[in-house]
Amino acid sequence: MRFADNTFSGSYITTIGVDFKIRTVVINGERVKLQIWDTAGQERFRTITSTYYRNTHGVIIVYDVTNPESFVNIKRWLHEIGQNCDSVCKVLVGNKCEDPARRQVETADARRFSEQMGVRLFETSAKENLNVEEMFNAVTAMVLRTKQENLARLQHPEVVKINRPKKKPPVKKCC
Ligand SMILES: Nc1nc2c(ncn2[C@@H]2O[C@H](COP(=O)(O)OP(=O)(O)OP(=O)(O)O)[C@@H](O)[C@H]2O)c(=O)[nH]1
Ligand SMILES: [Mg+2]
């Protein structure tokens, strides 16, 4: 809501299944129309939400820095993404970072974990609008870069050929 509409509500209205938002951004001079599928975190919607992974270019995994259980659950979410997506850009986001007194997941611990997992970490506050824009821009730039690399690979297949292991010539047997 912060990214798509620049709004924030303090009341908790759980997502039922999925929400959908669109926003166009300009990255490196290129207009990119983002389709954002916000899936429900609650277990009871898992069968619905798991169908939304297919053909996804980027995934934003959000935990709550004031709730250690949400941080522990990240491993399970990463596993689920691995099971359902072929190759996808991932970022890890610790939200609700605006109040140091309420923080229970330290940045250093989250950073260590994100490095182990090979995923970039952001800390954001939807409430105070901290780092939200930067995080979405970073995901979009990652997705664009991956798409351009894949396109270049298709246009220059010889790059692929170079890396292909050489086929052994068939062994001629004498009769
Ligand atoms: N303090 C603070 N509260 C936040 C922030 N972002 C969200 N909240 C509050 O946290 C609660 C849950 O936020 P949601 O964004 O609805 O959480 P969710 O992960 O989408 O939850 P599900 O839809 O059930 O999966 C709400 O009461 C929000 O107002 C933030 O940056 N800071
Ligand atoms: Mg929600």
Side-chain angles (χ1 to χ4, degrees):
M1 294 289 279
R2 172 60 74 191
F3 179 71
D5 304 328
N6 200 16
T7 59
F8 174 79
S9 163
S11 49
Y12 177 36
I13 304 161
T14 186
T15 307
I16 310 287
V18 282
D19 272 343
F20 177 67
K21 295 275 178 196
I22 281 186
R23 198 183 135 183
T24 301
V25 292
V26 178
I27 304 283
N28 305 328
E30 207 174 327
R31 273 171 66 86
V32 186
K33 188 175 170 186
L34 296 174
Q35 296 180 18
I36 306 154
W37 301 84
D38 171 21
T39 53
Q42 285 189 22
E43 192 69 42
R44 62 191 165 121
F45 298 113
R46 195 58 46 82
T47 40
I48 305 170
T49 54
S50 63
T51 62
Y52 283 85
Y53 288 107
R54 206 160 306 137
N55 298 331
T56 301
H57 296 118
V59 180
I60 301 166
I61 310 148
V62 187
Y63 66 94
D64 175 350
V65 301
T66 71
N67 177 351
E69 197 189 332
S70 71
F71 181 64
V72 169
N73 281 337
I74 294 296
K75 256 202 170 145
R76 203 160 48 81
W77 287 110
L78 283 170
H79 179 73
E80 184 154 315
I81 294 160
Q83 297 278 296
N84 290 284
C85 302
D86 283 341
S87 75
V88 73
C89 300
K90 294 179 286 257
V91 289
L92 185 58
V93 175
N95 189 42
K96 305 196 188 180
C97 76
E98 78 279 347
D99 184 358
R102 289 185 61 210
R103 179 188 283 273
Q104 294 197 52
V105 181
E106 294 308 322
T107 308
D109 295 334
R111 183 141 336 269
R112 204 173 310 121
F113 175 73
S114 73
E115 278 167 9
Q116 273 170 13
M117 295 291 135
V119 181
R120 208 169 144 189
L121 173 75
F122 289 84
E123 287 192 334
T124 61
S125 169
K127 186 180 179 186
E128 300 294 333
N129 198 10
L130 301 171
N131 229 7
V132 176
E133 196 78 14
E134 290 81 353
M135 180 273 291
F136 270 95
N137 283 346
V139 181
T140 310
M142 275 166 73
V143 168
L144 273 182
R145 205 172 40 242
T146 308
K147 281 194 111 178
Q148 281 156 359
E149 280 167 11
N150 289 343
L151 203 67
R153 217 168 287 146
L154 280 174
Q155 283 167 347
H156 303 283
E158 66 273 18
V159 175
V160 178
K161 277 183 200 158
I162 290 167
N163 294 330
R164 210 182 278 164
K166 275 185 188 158
K167 266 188 184 167
K168 280 184 188 163
V171 182
K172 282 185 184 153
K173 284 184 183 159
C174 187
C175 49

